[in-house]
Amino acid sequence: MASNAKSQSTLIHDTICLFMITLIAGILLGAVNMITVDPIKEQAEKAKQEAYAAVYDGAEFVSDDGVNSSLKAFQADLASGKVKTASGSDLSDVEIQEVMKATVDGQDAGYVMTCSGKGYGGAVKVALGIDGEGAIKGIQIMDCTNETPGLGQNSSKEDWNSQYIGMTTAQDVSVVKDGSGSKDNGTINAISGATITSNAVTRAVDGSLLFIASLSE
């Protein structure tokens, strides 16, 4: 009996100790999160604003309620597979996270936006600047860290993604692997060995151009 009582007492003691360790660990993790969450958000916002400035030089960016409302409905259609390119390509993996108006000297001059398409290892996030005529003015890959180093991560290189500059809302952008890509016919040369990543960026661009086109309908 004494042995059983001692075992029970030890069990209770160990349970209390484990509970206290878990409680303290939870409190510490919560405290660390509270300390770091704001700096992380601030850094993400700074990176986004720098990307917008890079894709639409000289502009200021403002949120617009009408655009936000249209984006919410359009994004729902994207996710459900209702939005496709003119050639029928599925864009259900495309997400447009944000669209802001770009203004120059107080006048509307187009849009900047954050969008993404599903790549080889996850979402490839893209910033776009689109001018008042519906043409891509600038592009920057904001996040391709889940893609293969030396292959898909090459999408961040300007000599590749600059192919999209000048593409317009009137075009159905697609990827080719034979090196014949041309702005005139809306084709992009795939990254060698990374067609999936190339298609992810292109679908994000296509979805974004279709959204901008829908704003003038």
Side-chain angles (χ1 to χ4, degrees), residues 20 38 69 74 85 114 154 171 173 177 189 191 208-209:
M20 292 302 297
D38 286 342
S69 178
F74 189 85
T85 66
T114 302
N154 286 341
Q171 290 176 301
V173 186
K177 294 189 285 185
N189 291 314
I191 301 168
S208 298
L209 290 175

Side-chain angles (χ1 to χ4, degrees), residues 182-204:
S182 170
K183 181 176 68 176
D184 294 335
N185 60 18
T187 53
I188 298 295
N189 291 314
I191 301 168
S192 179
T195 304
I196 293 175
T197 306
S198 305
N199 279 317
V201 177
T202 299
R203 287 195 305 277

Side-chain angles (χ1 to χ4, degrees), residues 2-124:
S3 177
N4 289 339
K6 183 177 181 180
S7 296
Q8 187 175 8
S9 176
T10 300
L11 178 62
I12 293 172
H13 176 270
D14 290 347
T15 300
I16 293 173
C17 287
L18 181 61
F19 171 77
M20 292 302 297
I21 291 170
T22 303
L23 177 63
I24 292 170
I27 292 172
L28 289 175
L29 285 172
V32 169
N33 181 66
M34 289 179 64
I35 292 170
T36 59
V37 66
D38 286 342
I40 290 172
K41 286 182 178 179
E42 289 173 5
Q43 187 60 37
E45 179 64 22
K46 179 182 177 182
K48 183 188 73 176
Q49 291 298 327
E50 288 175 349
Y52 284 170
V55 300
Y56 207 129
D57 185 38
E60 295 183 350
F61 314 116
V62 295
S63 181
D64 181 88
D65 289 341
V67 172
N68 292 338
S69 178
S70 296
L71 176 58
K72 184 177 180 180
F74 189 85
Q75 183 58 52
D77 287 343
L78 273 172
S80 66
K82 292 181 180 179
V83 180
K84 299 180 183 298
T85 66
S87 61
S89 295
D90 182 14
L91 299 176
S92 59
D93 66 304
V94 172
E95 183 178 356
I96 303 175
Q97 289 90 356
E98 180 181 64
V99 179
M100 301 184 77
K101 282 189 172 182
T103 65
V104 177
D105 296 329
Q107 301 296 315
D108 289 349
Y111 303 89
V112 289
M113 56 205 307
T114 302
C115 55
S116 64
K118 186 178 180 181
Y120 181 76
V124 180

Side-chain angles (χ1 to χ4, degrees), residues 50-57 61 109 111-115 126-132 134-142 158 161-167 201 205 208-209:
E50 288 175 349
Y52 284 170
V55 300
Y56 207 129
D57 185 38
F61 314 116
Y111 303 89
V112 289
M113 56 205 307
T114 302
C115 55
V126 183
L128 290 174
I130 299 177
D131 67 21
I136 296 175
K137 184 177 177 66
I139 179 171
Q140 185 172 107
I141 307 301
M142 297 174 68
E158 186 178 351
N161 61 50
S162 62
Q163 294 180 90
Y164 293 94
I165 295 176
M167 300 288 187
V201 177
V205 168
S208 298
L209 290 175

